[in-house]
Every structure is written in structure tokens, then in C-alpha cells.
Amino acid sequence: MGVDPHLLRTFVTVARLGSFSAAARELGYTQSAVSQQVATLESDLGTPLLTRRPVLPTEAGGRLLEHAGPILLRLDAARADVARVAGDPPDRLVLGASALAMTRPVAGALAALRRERPRLDVVVAVAGRNEVVAGVAAGRYDLGLVDGITAPNDPLRLPDAGALTAVGVAERPLVVALPAGHPLADRAGLALAALADARWLDAPELAVPAPVLRDSASGGGWRAAVRYEGADCAGLLALVAAGHGIALLPADLAYGPEVTGVPLTSPRLVHRVELVHGRLVAGPAAWLAAHLSDLRPTEVSDASRPRQ
Amino acid sequence: MGVDPHLLRTFVTVARLGSFSAAARELGYTQSAVSQQVATLESDLGTPLLTRRPVLPTEAGGRLLEHAGPILLRLDAARADVARVAGDPPDRLVLGASALAMTRPVAGALAALRRERPRLDVVVAVAGRNEVVAGVAAGRYDLGLVDGITAPNDPLRLPDAGALTAVGVAERPLVVALPAGHPLADRAGLALAALADARWLDAPELAVPAPVLRDSASGGGWRAAVRYEGADCAGLLALVAAGHGIALLPADLAYGPEVTGVPLTSPRLVHRVELVHGRLVAGPAAWLAAHLSDLRPTEVSDASRPRQ
DNA sequence: CGTGATTACGGTTGACGTAATCATA
DNA sequence: TATGATTACGTCAACCGTAATCACG
């Protein structure tokens, strides 16, 4: 009666890889087993979920995929949550962080923790924003630090990953990064609307992704000149300096010999870092969370938020 | 590796009933099977989840219970969603509605649907707010109508039940219902703060529950005189008329020979009705949703909301 | 002692692997 | 024709029921 998650898992893998055999390799099954599992799921739900050759989700399969991810994630989260209260306090703290989330105040709080608990192993793993949130939900990270761009005091738009709490811990101003000598580089401030037809660098891991720009100030082209998938600021700044395009970056990172940061005047946007965590139990994670929350610019979410 | 939902289900049932044998009866298993399932789950998670005699959740069990409900719900939602796109268009529309959600404009849209499709069976099931949301998520209702009290244009605070969309469809003013002849009954308007020490009727299904009052204007006693668990307005008004206490109600329902409704001046609150639904496919549900959305006071939520 | 949870054990079911078959690019 | 999904079938594990045992009130 209840959609076996085991089958769900293989179904998701097959859909993602577009191949039964590839999914079988990844999951450590035989091709035959995967075929049988998908067939079982389809007969259980009474409808085909995948087309064969090419292997693509049907409409029903698409609907199922929308649910499968969150379900599998929450299942992991449940296990992780139980493990956290059952196990003894760990001597290791694993932090997930997105690219620009490790700001000064955050690093300061982390230093305070290491002074407090010198024998503690601290691991900081940098990953994409969604991976950080998913990792926290699944218990791979004790805490997550996620950064992004929003209006001042507005929470980040994070993916829904079950019962997670997010607290703002830092906000800093944004500037438009321009090559030194650019015609606009001597302005005192720039409005986003004036840059609609400029050439933007689309760096989803680092700066504002193009879709957000489009939403913030509609109209205009918002052409992306180059898509930069790295997570290091220096590389992006080099592209800016070479005139490939301009980017929206935290003020303190957007300066250099060949790059000028011009303050963004409207709309008012800031670079914001949020601490993401599940339910905490006494231990280093809780300690750090408490100290990070002390420097919070604003609390944005707790126990029960309205809906997805 | 992934917390079998089958076991989760029996664990939840055992925890809810506080008894292995009772859970076995309810689930159609033998006592022995339930015992084995719980034991399997405990050994899988590596920690006891329940105390025996009396049967109560341990701390780890409590954590698991927090996840179990949403997981089981989402599993049902997935099945229901798939069934909706797989099955042929139904000749029956089942609406879930909370007590005061069937307002005039909603009833009007429903009438239009019945003119449009005379052969359609329409069922309206009245239930608690949470049951409506859960029922929509699980596919027991095609659409949900949920009412509650918020600031104008603010979304209702609904429980998280997976990927649900909520659209506001009606708002109407609120009044303080007083017995005719009450010292305050001749006022032109009342501020909530002035009523902090009044005697309130706590009618969670109908009017504003006491906790909301406490949050809206903190300070004061907010004593609840009587708790009224019914869902009919007449009964509550009778209690008001008899002087058991006062209540916050939609303006058009709070009048009668023995009751006076005095407009609420601050904070500005309204009675709001929202339409709740999963992803819609062509059919009567989609038709009604479209027509209800046309009279929406404001859209409040769609595809992806930030987090729980 | 009696109610109710656990343990022992056997039968059935079902899930996976091997291998043969089928279908499509 | 070759790659890759399906079908056939045998084996083995897991799950549930019956029944005996244990433990707390």
C-alpha cells in the first residue's frame, strides 16, 4: 500500500541515468533486478512510469519523481536524527558550506569553538547550496552555511528539505564588479535596471544567477556572456577584469587591481549567509549554532513554517 | 538502509495506541508480528525506540515520530498524484472543507461548476483544518478549502504537507461577538488589546484559538472561559449570548437577536479562506480551482516556498 | 495469576541472480 | 548485429503466524 522506497530509489536512479543497466551498475544490482523492480513499481501503481528506448519518465513518472526526492531525503533525515540522539557526543564537527558562506564573523565563531574545544576535529566541506541543504537534512553535515542574495532582512529562498531551521548569521553589501576603466566604473552607484543590457557573467555558484536578475528587474536582455561554474572568486574576477562581463558580488570580495566594485543602489540587495540545521542535541554543533545565532542579523525560520 | 515505511507505520501506530496488541488489532497483524517489526526497526536504527510497560516513545523514538507522519503522508501523496494523472477523469469531486470555509463566493463557484457539469457528483466533507490539508495531500480530497484568521492579504499558517499549493479565495472582516447589552456592545470598534482580560470562548474549530490571541497582542490574561469543540456557529453564539464569554468571528456570522458584533479595529485581522490543492490535471477539480482563483484576494503560494 | 510482550520455529512468499529471449537502433 | 530490456526459473532470505515462554502489574 505504501510505495516501497527501495523501489523508489532504483526508479529515481534509472530516470536520472536514463538507463536500466547504468542504474544497475550504480546500485550494485543486476540489470534484471532493476528491470523487475521498476516493473513491480509500475504494476503497484497501475501505470507505466518510464518509456523504454529511450528511457524517459512518462507523465505519471514525472509526478512520482517530484515526490521521490523529498521522500528519500526525509527518510535519511529521520535516520540521521535518531542517530544523533542515540550516539554519544561526537569528537568531530562537519560543516557544509556553499561557496561564499565562510565570512569573517562565521570564521570568528568557528575559531571561538576551536579555542573552547581544542581536541575537536573540524571539517568544512564546500558544496553547492542545494547539496548543503540536502546534506544537513540527511545528517552528512552537522551544520550548514548557505549564502545567497536577497533583500535586506529577507530570508534566502532555500529548497524544501523537511524539518530544517535556518537562521541568518551575516549580511554584507553587494557591488557590481566592473573591469577597472570601464565607462561605468567611476560612478558612485549603479541601479540594476540601468544594466539590463550589459553583458553578465552567469556564475550560479558564486554570484547572482541570471534568472534572479531577470526576476529582480524585469525587462532587458540579461544576456549571459560566459557561464562560470567554478566556486572560486579569483577566477571570476579575472574574467571580469578581462572584460568578459560584469557580475554582482559581495563588496569585500569584488575589489582587486583590475576590478572595481561599484555599489548597487537599487533594488537594495545584500549578500546573506544563513545557518541551516535540523534539531540539535547538546554537542559542538549546538554550541556553534548558539554562538552563530548570537550574531544573527535576523531570525528567519523556526519550528513550523506555513507550507512548502 | 532506508527505514522501511512499513515498519514506520506500525511503530507510529504502537506509539499512538501505547500498546503492541492494540496496534496489532488495528493493523490486522498478530501481536507477535508487531513485536518483531518494532524489534527490527530498533535493531536497524541501533537504539530502542519505545519503553515497554508502559509503552512510551524514548527520546530517539520521539525524534523518529516527528519525521514519520510527514513521510507517510508524502508517500500517500505520491501515490495519489500518480493515480490522478493515470486514471481517467472522475465523475465525482470530493471537497474537504474546514468549518467556516464554505463562504458565499465559494458556494457560488461551486454552483457554477454544477451548472457546467450537471452529471457531476459533488461531495463536501467538513473536517478540521489539519485533516483537510492532510486529506488533500493524500488524495482523499480533490480540493481543500481551509479558513482561518490572519492579517489582510497574509497567507494562512497551514501545516506542511508536502507539495501543496494554497491560493486565497475569500476574505471578510472580523468582529468581536458580544452578548447584546454588554457594556462594550455599543462601541463603534474595539481594539484587541483592550480585551486582554476579557473572558474568551476558546473554539479552535470556529473562532480564533487562544494561542493566536496571545501571540497577536501579548500581555494580559487571555483566560479561556469555555472550550467549545463543535463546528457549528449557532452553538457558539448561544454561549456568547448567555454570557459565557466573547469570541472573534466573521462579521456576517456574528449577529443574531442576542449577539452583537463590534468591529475589530486593531490589529487588523480578517477571516480568510484558502483553496489548497496538489498538482491539478484537467477535470472538474482543475475547473473549480481556476474559477475560485479568479476571485482570489491574493495569491499566496505556489510551486516552491522557501522551507518548512 | 493474568495480561501482554518476547522468543522459537516452520511455512510461505517474494526478491535477486543466472541465463535465455526479445526488441530496437 | 550488438546493445540493452524482459522473461523464466531456481535459490535463499525475510516475514508472518502459531505456539510456547517470559515479565511486569
Side-chain angles (χ1 to χ4, degrees):
Chain A
M1 212 229 255
V3 191
D4 185 351
H6 196 198
L7 305 182
L8 223 48
R9 216 181 140 74
T10 66
F11 166 65
V12 169
T13 308
V14 171
R16 175 165 50 82
L17 299 177
S19 156
F20 283 61
S21 358
R25 275 192 299 277
E26 178 166 320
L27 296 170
Y29 285 120
T30 59
Q31 198 186 55
S32 160
V34 170
S35 182
Q36 289 176 59
Q37 287 180 17
V38 172
T40 302
L41 189 57
E42 286 178 326
S43 94
D44 178 29
L45 293 176
T47 184
L49 299 170
L50 294 167
T51 62
R52 320 296 153 100
R53 280 182 212 269
V55 174
L56 287 173
T58 62
E59 192 190 344
R63 292 299 174 86
L64 186 57
L65 281 173
E66 292 171 11
H67 290 282
I71 288 172
L72 262 13
L73 193 66
R74 189 76 120 112
L75 245 9
D76 284 347
R79 174 176 291 275
D81 243 22
V82 169
R84 209 167 289 135
V85 329
D88 21 31
D91 55 351
R92 207 168 81 127
L93 180 71
V94 183
L95 258 79
S98 59
L100 300 183
M102 187 52 70
T103 55
R104 248 336 284 283
V106 173
L110 196 54
L113 173 65
R114 306 202 53 230
R115 278 194 299 278
E116 187 80 8
R117 314 243 187 139
R119 317 191 44 183
L120 185 71
D121 269 358
V122 176
V123 179
V124 179
V126 176
R129 289 181 247 278
N130 292 349
E131 285 73 42
V132 170
V133 173
V136 171
R140 289 192 297 278
Y141 307 130
D142 299 303
L143 295 174
L145 289 164
V146 182
D147 75 295
I149 286 169
T150 44
N153 297 326
D154 262 22
L156 255 32
R157 221 84 27 89
L158 297 178
D160 181 28
L164 255 37
T165 304
V167 186
V169 295
E171 282 187 8
R172 44 185 177 169
L174 282 174
V175 297
V176 180
L178 300 166
H182 188 282
L184 297 172
D186 54 350
R187 294 276 196 91
L190 286 169
L192 205 54
L195 299 168
D197 294 319
R199 213 172 261 278
W200 287 89
L201 287 170
D202 189 13
E205 288 291 325
L206 276 178
V208 195
V212 176
L213 286 180
R214 222 169 274 123
D215 289 358
S216 290
S218 51
W222 304 114
R223 281 171 304 156
V226 174
R227 182 182 180 83
Y228 187 71
E229 306 216 317
D232 66 301
C233 228
L236 187 67
L237 287 176
L239 289 173
V240 171
H244 285 286
I246 65 181
L248 212 50
L249 284 172
D252 46 345
L253 296 176
Y255 295 94
E258 302 182 314
V259 174
T260 309
V262 180
L264 184 74
T265 54
S266 86
R268 274 212 67 203
L269 294 175
V270 295
H271 179 257
R272 182 180 167 99
V273 179
E274 288 187 5
L275 173 70
V276 178
H277 59 81
R279 294 202 47 173
L280 297 169
V281 295
W287 192 97
L288 184 59
H291 282 245
L292 280 170
S293 301
D294 282 347
L295 47 93
R296 81 184 104 163
T298 169
E299 174 136 358
V300 299
S301 155
D302 45 42
S304 60
R305 266 295 198 83
R307 61 213 104 187
Q308 188 198 28
Chain B
M1 211 229 248
V3 189
D4 185 351
H6 196 198
L7 305 182
L8 222 49
R9 216 182 142 73
T10 68
F11 166 66
V12 169
T13 309
V14 171
R16 175 166 49 84
L17 299 176
S19 156
F20 283 62
S21 359
R25 275 192 299 278
E26 179 165 320
L27 296 170
Y29 285 120
T30 59
Q31 196 186 56
S32 161
V34 170
S35 181
Q36 289 176 57
Q37 289 181 14
V38 173
T40 303
L41 190 58
E42 285 178 327
S43 94
D44 178 30
L45 294 176
T47 184
L49 299 170
L50 294 167
T51 61
R52 320 295 152 102
R53 283 179 207 272
V55 175
L56 286 172
T58 62
E59 191 189 348
R63 291 300 172 90
L64 187 58
L65 281 174
E66 292 172 12
H67 289 281
I71 288 172
L72 263 13
L73 193 64
R74 189 75 123 119
L75 246 9
D76 285 346
R79 174 176 290 276
D81 244 22
V82 170
R84 210 166 289 135
V85 329
D88 21 31
D91 56 350
R92 208 169 79 127
L93 180 71
V94 183
L95 260 82
S98 61
L100 299 184
M102 186 54 68
T103 55
R104 243 343 277 284
V106 173
L110 197 55
L113 173 65
R114 305 202 53 231
R115 275 193 301 277
E116 187 79 8
R117 314 239 190 146
R119 315 190 46 179
L120 186 72
D121 268 359
V122 176
V123 179
V124 179
V126 176
R129 287 181 248 277
N130 292 349
E131 284 75 40
V132 170
V133 173
V136 171
R140 289 193 296 278
Y141 307 131
D142 299 302
L143 295 174
L145 289 164
V146 183
D147 75 295
I149 286 169
T150 44
N153 297 329
D154 262 23
L156 255 33
R157 219 86 28 91
L158 296 179
D160 182 28
L164 255 36
T165 304
V167 185
V169 294
E171 281 187 9
R172 42 184 179 173
L174 282 173
V175 297
V176 180
L178 299 166
H182 189 282
L184 296 172
D186 54 352
R187 294 276 197 93
L190 286 170
L192 205 53
L195 300 168
D197 294 319
R199 212 172 262 277
W200 287 87
L201 287 170
D202 188 14
E205 289 289 326
L206 276 178
V208 196
V212 176
L213 287 179
R214 222 170 272 123
D215 290 355
S216 291
S218 51
W222 304 114
R223 282 170 303 156
V226 174
R227 180 181 183 83
Y228 186 71
E229 307 216 317
D232 65 304
C233 228
L236 187 67
L237 288 175
L239 289 172
V240 171
H244 285 286
I246 66 182
L248 213 50
L249 284 173
D252 47 345
L253 296 176
Y255 295 93
E258 302 183 314
V259 175
T260 308
V262 180
L264 185 72
T265 55
S266 86
R268 271 212 70 202
L269 293 175
V270 295
H271 178 257
R272 181 179 167 99
V273 179
E274 289 187 5
L275 173 71
V276 178
H277 59 80
R279 294 204 45 175
L280 297 169
V281 293
W287 192 97
L288 185 59
H291 281 247
L292 280 170
S293 302
D294 283 345
L295 47 92
R296 79 183 105 163
T298 171
E299 175 134 357
V300 299
S301 152
D302 45 43
S304 60
R305 265 297 198 77
R307 60 214 108 187
Q308 191 200 25

